[in-house]
Amino acid sequence: VLVRQLGLPLLLAAAVPLLLVPVVAYRVIIRGEALRFPGFIVAAMVMLGWHTVSALMSIQPHVRLGQVFEWLLEGVILAVLLVNAVRTREEVFAAVRAIVAAGAVMGFAVILQKLLGPCEFDMGGFVNLGSQCADPSVNAQHRLSGPIGEENFFGQIMAVLIPIAAGLALTSRDRQRWLYWIATLLICGGMALTYSRGTMVAVVLVVPFTLLFGFLRLRQLAVVALCCVLLVAASPYLAKRVTSIGTAAMQSLGLSAGGFRNSDGALRGRATEMQAAALMFLDHPLIGVGPGMARKYYPEYAVLVGGKVRADNRRTHSLYLQLAAETGVIGLIAFLGVIAVLLMPLDRARRRLQHTDRQFWGLVCGMELAILVLLSTSLFLHASYIRYFWMLLALAFTSILRQATMTNFQFQTPRDVAAGQIGTPA
């Protein structure tokens, strides 16, 4: 916001995660605590190693290495700083409360913008409509996009926060519970005003897991469904967006007259972009075309696919197809390996905590559902604002690691080893 509003250097915004460096330095140098390099970080470094190979084999090796460096700086380094800065139970809860509060503030800002007038109020720069307000004569239904200026990615970020906030609300008591429920409603409102169809589909895909995990019961889910129906009924444009999902599904299956070619332009354009990425992968199955190169190859492959071909370079609109096209099958497997290395212990911790520590179970369960929401939305969105993805993985890791120390052994620091205090029961 400061970069956009006041013209501050972009490097200043990119360096915000470095604020964690003094915290980590205090823990390691002053307190003598050991640095953590968990398994998912190691898997991530292996993945970035392969990205480097793919970048060097591309037609623009020096340019593509910048993409790898971006994932390193905004992703892996951020995750390393977070897992080493957040260590205790209280710190985990404080960090999660901070991101839930941030989501609630943004939800409130977006809702207030909707009420006051999307083009009249920019809420101090915390909302950004971009080209939607360029022609005031057009009476359009504005899709709100928060401070990042992109509706679908803003909807993705807000959707990820919903199970985390709801998990805190379900397992808290008294006044805190109501505060968390208010935060959950504000976040849901902010997500709904993006009118992102991909986000809606992703949230629905995760609903069965809420029942499987015991996060929601059938009667609670029925109440949520009723609220969603009332919300759709109260907003004609939202109802139009929701019904278009079913229409597109029928057309793609050939169950509607005219077929998919009569679907709306946005869906046909995305289908072309995804199919173009699939063709790139088939032509470069092992190492891909290079990180960030899919958009450069789009015009060449989109002509082969047909459908709605855009004039400019386009992204793939699917994280998995993007990784397959840009880094090949090995890059895609490496990414899925990072997720698996974290999700497996996270799921074990959720099952272990369900009957022993209900409050922490709500946090861990919310984290696991948040990762599932992120993975589901990534079916329809390419890699962008990747820092939020790595931040979520790091916070999920800190929650399960804290539980492991509570049930087994305390962390061993160099000072403990020197004193002979090894393997002390927690």
Side-chain angles (χ1 to χ4, degrees):
V1 172
L2 291 176
V3 168
R4 186 172 62 244
Q5 294 292 104
L6 302 180
L8 296 181
L10 183 61
L11 183 62
L12 188 65
V16 167
L18 297 180
L19 292 172
L20 292 169
V21 171
V23 181
V24 177
Y26 169 77
R27 289 190 175 280
V28 175
I29 299 175
I30 306 300
R31 298 186 59 178
E33 298 179 1
L35 280 173
R36 296 172 175 170
F37 290 96
F40 85 96
I41 295 292
V42 176
M45 294 304 297
V46 173
M47 178 189 72
L48 287 184
W50 182 254
H51 281 210
T52 303
V53 173
S54 179
L56 292 174
M57 298 294 290
S58 71
I59 61 174
Q60 296 180 337
H62 299 294
V63 177
R64 295 307 107 199
L65 284 174
Q67 183 86 18
V68 179
F69 180 75
E70 180 182 340
W71 273 55
L72 177 65
L73 179 63
E74 295 197 10
V76 178
I77 291 180
L78 173 61
V80 170
L81 290 173
L82 272 172
V83 299
N84 283 283
V86 180
R87 299 200 179 220
T88 67
R89 179 188 181 100
E90 293 74 19
E91 289 168 353
V92 173
F93 273 104
V96 172
R97 291 188 190 109
I99 62 172
V100 168
V105 170
M106 287 315 311
F108 176 77
V110 167
I111 294 171
L112 191 60
Q113 180 198 18
K114 178 69 174 179
L115 296 175
L116 297 178
C119 293
E120 289 76 13
F121 296 89
D122 66 354
M123 309 303 294
F126 279 93
V127 293
N128 180 15
L129 278 172
S131 60
Q132 293 190 65
C133 294
D135 187 359
S137 63
V138 178
N139 185 21
Q141 179 66 49
H142 298 293
R143 296 178 60 195
L144 306 185
S145 56
I148 66 176
E150 211 294 322
E151 305 87 6
N152 296 313
F153 285 106
F154 182 63
Q156 178 190 47
I157 295 166
M158 298 296 277
V160 165
L161 292 177
I162 291 175
I164 299 176
L168 294 176
L170 288 169
T171 55
S172 298
R173 297 180 179 179
D174 304 328
R175 184 180 301 177
Q176 278 191 340
R177 169 175 293 184
W178 292 109
L179 290 175
Y180 288 136
W181 279 125
I182 292 172
T184 304
L185 291 175
L186 290 174
I187 294 169
C188 289
M191 184 203 74
L193 290 175
T194 66
Y195 302 110
S196 172
R197 291 176 291 193
T199 302
M200 298 176 197
V201 173
V203 170
V204 171
L205 290 176
V206 176
V207 165
F209 291 97
T210 64
L211 296 174
L212 179 65
F213 294 171
F215 191 78
L216 291 178
R217 299 176 182 176
L218 282 175
R219 63 174 181 271
Q220 294 171 323
L221 185 60
V223 173
V224 172
L226 178 61
C227 292
C228 291
V229 170
L230 294 176
L231 180 62
V232 171
S235 174
Y237 185 69
L238 181 59
K240 179 182 177 182
R241 298 284 291 182
V242 171
T243 54
S244 70
I245 298 173
T247 302
M250 297 287 286
Q251 292 170 334
S252 62
L253 294 173
L255 301 178
S256 178
F260 191 69
R261 66 178 179 273
N262 287 337
S263 178
D264 68 72
L267 292 176
R268 287 187 289 113
R270 289 194 179 192
T272 298
E273 292 150 17
M274 292 179 179
Q275 292 176 65
L279 286 182
M280 292 178 214
F281 168 67
L282 292 177
D283 281 352
H284 306 83
L286 186 59
I287 62 173
V289 297
M293 287 295 293
R295 61 192 307 174
K296 303 293 184 183
Y297 281 86
Y298 165 79
E300 174 186 344
Y301 283 90
V303 173
L304 300 176
V305 171
K308 184 172 182 178
V309 180
R310 316 269 189 174
D312 55 343
N313 295 340
R314 302 289 295 182
R315 304 294 291 268
T316 59
H317 277 290
S318 173
L319 174 61
Y320 310 104
L321 287 174
Q322 176 188 357
L323 290 171
E326 294 183 349
T327 61
V329 65
I330 297 178
L332 179 59
I333 292 174
F335 172 79
L336 296 177
V338 174
I339 303 301
V341 167
L342 181 62
L343 270 184
M344 288 190 292
L346 189 65
D347 188 68
R348 288 195 298 267
R350 174 189 60 79
R351 288 185 272 112
R352 183 177 66 247
L353 291 168
Q354 188 166 7
H355 303 293
T356 58
D357 190 337
R358 190 69 178 175
Q359 186 180 27
F360 221 91
W361 172 86
L363 174 61
V364 172
C365 193
M367 285 288 185
E368 186 172 3
L369 289 171
I371 293 175
L372 293 178
V373 170
L374 188 62
L375 295 176
S376 298
T377 54
S378 296
L379 290 168
F380 315 105
L381 291 172
H382 51 265
S384 192
Y385 304 98
I386 200 68
R387 66 185 73 93
Y388 296 109
F389 172 80
W390 290 102
M391 181 175 68
L392 178 64
L393 294 190
L395 289 178
F397 170 79
T398 58
S399 65
I400 61 175
L401 189 62
R402 179 57 186 163
Q403 277 307 305
T405 61
M406 290 178 63
T407 55
N408 296 311
F409 296 93
Q410 293 178 344
F411 293 116
Q412 301 306 312
T413 68
R415 187 176 302 170
D416 294 333
V417 175
Q421 297 175 355
I422 301 176
T424 305

